Amino acid sequence: MALGAIFILLAGLLLAHNLIEDYRAGSSAKAIVRTIEQAPKTAKAKKSGKSTIKVNGTAYSGYLNFPTLNLTLPVASKWRFSQLEVSPATYAGTAEDRDWTVAGHNFVNHFGRLNQLKVGDKVYFEAATGQRYVYQVQKMEVLQPTAISKMVQSKYDLSLFTCTYDGTTRFTVRCHLLQTK
């Protein structure tokens, strides 16, 4: 009986820890997006070809906006596991080269709601350069974590992925570029 109560307490503590991490990640992401939005996007800045904006020592290539999910997230220009606790990050490719793969944590305030997107939904990327990319969701699929080449070498212009909640597979959203402004 006492052992069961201990397990229930530990489960509650783990849940609380995960909820706090999710909240912190969402708050950090919002603050970073505000900083990116306030960065100058003058003609001089566009001409310089500067493709990232540094925030707290991390280079961000811009931010993704998911109107259907009421969600806006910064995208770090380089992937590292610890970065995913703050924001999604470029895993491979670039928006400019139309072979971009972005990884994100499955926090509710990050990529945890990607499964709520539908084919046809729009996804926007506001680049640090001032360019705006408009994507449309084409497909959702679940991949094995070892299917790296299938993840990054696809016919899609943008691939977004996160772990499923049990961590055994990767939920992936595939998008085609509609236009660049």
mmCIF file of all heavy atoms in Angstrom, residues 36 39-42 45-46 50-53 61-62 96 125-133 180-181:
data_model
loop_
_atom_site.group_PDB
_atom_site.id
_atom_site.type_symbol
_atom_site.label_atom_id
_atom_site.label_comp_id
_atom_site.label_asym_id
_atom_site.label_seq_id
_atom_site.Cartn_x
_atom_site.Cartn_y
_atom_site.Cartn_z
ATOM 1 N N ILE A 36 12.618 38.896 -31.968
ATOM 2 C CA ILE A 36 12.817 38.771 -33.419
ATOM 3 C C ILE A 36 11.908 39.746 -34.156
ATOM 4 O O ILE A 36 12.332 40.406 -35.109
ATOM 5 C CB ILE A 36 12.566 37.328 -33.889
ATOM 6 C CG1 ILE A 36 13.633 36.396 -33.300
ATOM 7 C CG2 ILE A 36 12.544 37.240 -35.410
ATOM 8 C CD1 ILE A 36 13.332 34.918 -33.503
ATOM 9 N N ALA A 39 13.296 43.230 -34.201
ATOM 10 C CA ALA A 39 14.575 43.460 -34.883
ATOM 11 C C ALA A 39 14.326 44.249 -36.170
ATOM 12 O O ALA A 39 13.302 44.047 -36.838
ATOM 13 C CB ALA A 39 15.246 42.133 -35.194
ATOM 14 N N PRO A 40 15.257 45.138 -36.523
ATOM 15 C CA PRO A 40 15.056 45.947 -37.735
ATOM 16 C C PRO A 40 15.039 45.080 -38.989
ATOM 17 O O PRO A 40 15.853 44.185 -39.152
ATOM 18 C CB PRO A 40 16.257 46.893 -37.743
ATOM 19 C CG PRO A 40 17.231 46.335 -36.785
ATOM 20 C CD PRO A 40 16.495 45.437 -35.857
ATOM 21 N N LYS A 41 14.080 45.345 -39.857
ATOM 22 C CA LYS A 41 13.990 44.641 -41.130
ATOM 23 C C LYS A 41 14.092 45.670 -42.255
ATOM 24 O O LYS A 41 13.305 45.678 -43.187
ATOM 25 C CB LYS A 41 12.689 43.862 -41.217
ATOM 26 C CG LYS A 41 12.549 42.848 -40.103
ATOM 27 C CD LYS A 41 11.947 41.604 -40.561
ATOM 28 C CE LYS A 41 11.826 40.515 -39.529
ATOM 29 N NZ LYS A 41 11.941 40.781 -38.157
ATOM 30 N N THR A 42 15.044 46.551 -42.140
ATOM 31 C CA THR A 42 15.233 47.613 -43.122
ATOM 32 C C THR A 42 15.836 47.056 -44.403
ATOM 33 O O THR A 42 16.341 45.929 -44.443
ATOM 34 C CB THR A 42 16.188 48.685 -42.560
ATOM 35 O OG1 THR A 42 17.463 48.067 -42.349
ATOM 36 C CG2 THR A 42 15.669 49.256 -41.258
ATOM 37 N N ALA A 45 19.347 46.012 -43.799
ATOM 38 C CA ALA A 45 19.466 44.718 -43.128
ATOM 39 C C ALA A 45 19.234 43.583 -44.118
ATOM 40 O O ALA A 45 19.933 42.575 -44.097
ATOM 41 C CB ALA A 45 18.483 44.619 -41.972
ATOM 42 N N LYS A 46 18.275 43.763 -45.036
ATOM 43 C CA LYS A 46 18.003 42.730 -46.034
ATOM 44 C C LYS A 46 19.186 42.569 -46.980
ATOM 45 O O LYS A 46 19.552 41.474 -47.355
ATOM 46 C CB LYS A 46 16.736 43.067 -46.825
ATOM 47 C CG LYS A 46 15.458 42.860 -46.044
ATOM 48 C CD LYS A 46 14.265 43.192 -46.889
ATOM 49 C CE LYS A 46 12.992 43.117 -46.068
ATOM 50 N NZ LYS A 46 11.809 43.447 -46.857
ATOM 51 N N LYS A 50 22.089 39.060 -43.754
ATOM 52 C CA LYS A 50 22.134 38.454 -42.425
ATOM 53 C C LYS A 50 20.931 37.537 -42.270
ATOM 54 O O LYS A 50 19.790 37.974 -42.317
ATOM 55 C CB LYS A 50 22.140 39.557 -41.367
ATOM 56 C CG LYS A 50 22.456 39.066 -39.988
ATOM 57 C CD LYS A 50 22.616 40.217 -39.035
ATOM 58 C CE LYS A 50 22.987 39.679 -37.675
ATOM 59 N NZ LYS A 50 23.149 40.738 -36.705
ATOM 60 N N SER A 51 21.214 36.257 -42.089
ATOM 61 C CA SER A 51 20.131 35.287 -42.090
ATOM 62 C C SER A 51 19.693 34.864 -40.696
ATOM 63 O O SER A 51 18.798 34.039 -40.564
ATOM 64 C CB SER A 51 20.539 34.058 -42.899
ATOM 65 O OG SER A 51 21.679 33.471 -42.317
ATOM 66 N N THR A 52 20.323 35.413 -39.657
ATOM 67 C CA THR A 52 19.922 35.062 -38.293
ATOM 68 C C THR A 52 19.901 36.306 -37.412
ATOM 69 O O THR A 52 20.504 37.327 -37.727
ATOM 70 C CB THR A 52 20.890 34.035 -37.655
ATOM 71 O OG1 THR A 52 22.190 34.603 -37.578
ATOM 72 C CG2 THR A 52 20.922 32.736 -38.444
ATOM 73 N N ILE A 53 19.206 36.156 -36.307
ATOM 74 C CA ILE A 53 19.169 37.181 -35.262
ATOM 75 C C ILE A 53 19.578 36.493 -33.974
ATOM 76 O O ILE A 53 19.011 35.444 -33.627
ATOM 77 C CB ILE A 53 17.754 37.782 -35.114
ATOM 78 C CG1 ILE A 53 17.369 38.529 -36.381
ATOM 79 C CG2 ILE A 53 17.679 38.686 -33.891
ATOM 80 C CD1 ILE A 53 15.932 38.987 -36.419
ATOM 81 N N SER A 61 16.786 31.795 -36.993
ATOM 82 C CA SER A 61 16.575 32.107 -38.401
ATOM 83 C C SER A 61 15.235 32.804 -38.636
ATOM 84 O O SER A 61 14.984 33.300 -39.719
ATOM 85 C CB SER A 61 16.676 30.845 -39.251
ATOM 86 O OG SER A 61 15.851 29.835 -38.757
ATOM 87 N N GLY A 62 14.403 32.882 -37.627
ATOM 88 C CA GLY A 62 13.103 33.535 -37.729
ATOM 89 C C GLY A 62 12.096 32.808 -36.858
ATOM 90 O O GLY A 62 12.473 32.195 -35.857
ATOM 91 N N GLU A 96 15.369 28.667 -47.687
ATOM 92 C CA GLU A 96 15.768 29.198 -48.990
ATOM 93 C C GLU A 96 15.985 28.079 -50.018
ATOM 94 O O GLU A 96 15.659 28.235 -51.189
ATOM 95 C CB GLU A 96 17.052 30.023 -48.872
ATOM 96 C CG GLU A 96 16.925 31.268 -48.028
ATOM 97 C CD GLU A 96 17.058 31.010 -46.518
ATOM 98 O OE1 GLU A 96 17.497 29.904 -46.105
ATOM 99 O OE2 GLU A 96 16.704 31.905 -45.745
ATOM 100 N N PHE A 125 6.451 31.158 -42.279
ATOM 101 C CA PHE A 125 7.772 31.355 -41.695
ATOM 102 C C PHE A 125 8.214 32.771 -41.991
ATOM 103 O O PHE A 125 8.305 33.173 -43.146
ATOM 104 C CB PHE A 125 8.799 30.363 -42.252
ATOM 105 C CG PHE A 125 10.195 30.619 -41.750
ATOM 106 C CD1 PHE A 125 10.473 30.526 -40.391
ATOM 107 C CD2 PHE A 125 11.210 30.954 -42.615
ATOM 108 C CE1 PHE A 125 11.761 30.770 -39.912
ATOM 109 C CE2 PHE A 125 12.494 31.191 -42.147
ATOM 110 C CZ PHE A 125 12.773 31.104 -40.803
ATOM 111 N N GLU A 126 8.446 33.536 -40.924
ATOM 112 C CA GLU A 126 8.961 34.901 -41.034
ATOM 113 C C GLU A 126 10.457 34.820 -40.787
ATOM 114 O O GLU A 126 10.903 34.609 -39.661
ATOM 115 C CB GLU A 126 8.299 35.808 -39.992
ATOM 116 C CG GLU A 126 6.782 35.819 -40.025
ATOM 117 C CD GLU A 126 6.202 36.542 -41.225
ATOM 118 O OE1 GLU A 126 6.923 37.363 -41.862
ATOM 119 O OE2 GLU A 126 5.027 36.293 -41.556
ATOM 120 N N ALA A 127 11.246 34.943 -41.848
ATOM 121 C CA ALA A 127 12.692 34.797 -41.747
ATOM 122 C C ALA A 127 13.332 36.064 -41.185
ATOM 123 O O ALA A 127 12.792 37.167 -41.330
ATOM 124 C CB ALA A 127 13.281 34.484 -43.117
ATOM 125 N N ALA A 128 14.482 35.897 -40.571
ATOM 126 C CA ALA A 128 15.227 37.039 -40.026
ATOM 127 C C ALA A 128 15.593 38.027 -41.128
ATOM 128 O O ALA A 128 15.776 39.213 -40.868
ATOM 129 C CB ALA A 128 16.490 36.541 -39.318
ATOM 130 N N THR A 129 15.658 37.548 -42.358
ATOM 131 C CA THR A 129 15.994 38.408 -43.501
ATOM 132 C C THR A 129 14.833 39.306 -43.912
ATOM 133 O O THR A 129 15.010 40.198 -44.733
ATOM 134 C CB THR A 129 16.378 37.547 -44.723
ATOM 135 O OG1 THR A 129 15.253 36.712 -45.049
ATOM 136 C CG2 THR A 129 17.601 36.704 -44.444
ATOM 137 N N GLY A 130 13.647 39.044 -43.370
ATOM 138 C CA GLY A 130 12.466 39.807 -43.757
ATOM 139 C C GLY A 130 11.594 39.064 -44.760
ATOM 140 O O GLY A 130 10.479 39.489 -45.046
ATOM 141 N N GLN A 131 12.090 37.964 -45.304
ATOM 142 C CA GLN A 131 11.307 37.152 -46.228
ATOM 143 C C GLN A 131 10.182 36.450 -45.483
ATOM 144 O O GLN A 131 10.344 36.051 -44.333
ATOM 145 C CB GLN A 131 12.175 36.081 -46.888
ATOM 146 C CG GLN A 131 13.176 36.609 -47.864
ATOM 147 C CD GLN A 131 12.539 36.884 -49.199
ATOM 148 O OE1 GLN A 131 12.223 38.028 -49.494
ATOM 149 N NE2 GLN A 131 12.336 35.864 -49.986
ATOM 150 N N ARG A 132 9.065 36.272 -46.151
ATOM 151 C CA ARG A 132 7.948 35.522 -45.581
ATOM 152 C C ARG A 132 7.653 34.343 -46.492
ATOM 153 O O ARG A 132 7.417 34.496 -47.685
ATOM 154 C CB ARG A 132 6.711 36.391 -45.461
ATOM 155 C CG ARG A 132 5.550 35.673 -44.816
ATOM 156 C CD ARG A 132 4.368 36.600 -44.663
ATOM 157 N NE ARG A 132 3.620 36.214 -43.499
ATOM 158 C CZ ARG A 132 2.305 36.266 -43.429
ATOM 159 N NH1 ARG A 132 1.598 36.739 -44.442
ATOM 160 N NH2 ARG A 132 1.679 35.906 -42.337
ATOM 161 N N TYR A 133 7.664 33.162 -45.907
ATOM 162 C CA TYR A 133 7.388 31.925 -46.637
ATOM 163 C C TYR A 133 6.004 31.433 -46.233
ATOM 164 O O TYR A 133 5.694 31.377 -45.044
ATOM 165 C CB TYR A 133 8.418 30.854 -46.291
ATOM 166 C CG TYR A 133 9.837 31.214 -46.719
ATOM 167 C CD1 TYR A 133 10.604 32.087 -45.954
ATOM 168 C CD2 TYR A 133 10.378 30.686 -47.879
ATOM 169 C CE1 TYR A 133 11.898 32.414 -46.339
ATOM 170 C CE2 TYR A 133 11.667 31.004 -48.269
ATOM 171 C CZ TYR A 133 12.418 31.876 -47.497
ATOM 172 O OH TYR A 133 13.694 32.201 -47.890
ATOM 173 N N THR A 180 6.717 32.958 -51.619
ATOM 174 C CA THR A 180 7.671 33.706 -50.822
ATOM 175 C C THR A 180 7.393 35.174 -51.076
ATOM 176 O O THR A 180 7.231 35.586 -52.221
ATOM 177 C CB THR A 180 9.127 33.376 -51.241
ATOM 178 O OG1 THR A 180 9.302 31.975 -51.171
ATOM 179 C CG2 THR A 180 10.127 34.043 -50.336
ATOM 180 N N LYS A 181 7.339 35.949 -50.015
ATOM 181 C CA LYS A 181 7.073 37.402 -50.150
ATOM 182 C C LYS A 181 8.261 38.185 -49.641
ATOM 183 O O LYS A 181 8.906 37.832 -48.715
ATOM 184 C CB LYS A 181 5.837 37.794 -49.356
ATOM 185 C CG LYS A 181 4.578 37.117 -49.810
ATOM 186 C CD LYS A 181 3.437 37.546 -48.911
ATOM 187 C CE LYS A 181 2.163 36.824 -49.280
ATOM 188 N NZ LYS A 181 1.039 37.219 -48.467
#
